[in-house]
Amino acid sequence: MTAVAAPAPAPAPAPSAAPTRAWLALLALTGISYIGPRALAGAPLVLAGLTLAVAKGQLVVDHYMGLRRVHWGWRAAMFCYLAGVGSLVALAFLLP
């Protein structure tokens, strides 16, 4: 009786550089938001900060939640959520 060799395991897929680029973009946007208060004040600072927060949220949704290649409705729902929360925060801050 001869032993049958087990099939060789499939090679691991090559790591993608996209998560690294997303992380570097998040790091850069965080650095910009850290420098922002020194360059802006008042309403422009709030709007710039919320814009950065929405951009960072969209990066997280695309790359870390894995919604980059799903139906457009899911991505639109997440973008509307991010934009809606950002708009409400801006409205609360900017209204007297």
Side-chain angles (χ1 to χ4, degrees):
M1 177 177 235
T2 60
V4 177
S16 172
T20 302
R21 285 193 303 267
W23 180 77
L24 289 172
L26 288 169
L27 190 64
L29 290 172
T30 301
I32 291 170
S33 65
Y34 178 74
I35 295 169
R38 292 177 175 84
L40 299 171
L45 174 63
V46 172
L47 296 176
L50 290 172
T51 302
L52 289 174
V54 169
K56 289 171 68 174
Q58 194 64 44
L59 279 171
V60 169
V61 166
D62 285 347
H63 295 284
Y64 296 107
M65 290 176 66
L67 297 181
R68 186 168 184 84
R69 291 182 178 87
V70 298
H71 188 267
W72 67 269
W74 288 107
R75 294 187 68 200
M78 290 306 296
F79 176 77
C80 288
Y81 170 75
L82 291 170
V85 169
S87 297
L88 290 174
V89 169
L91 192 64
F93 181 80
L94 298 175
L95 285 179

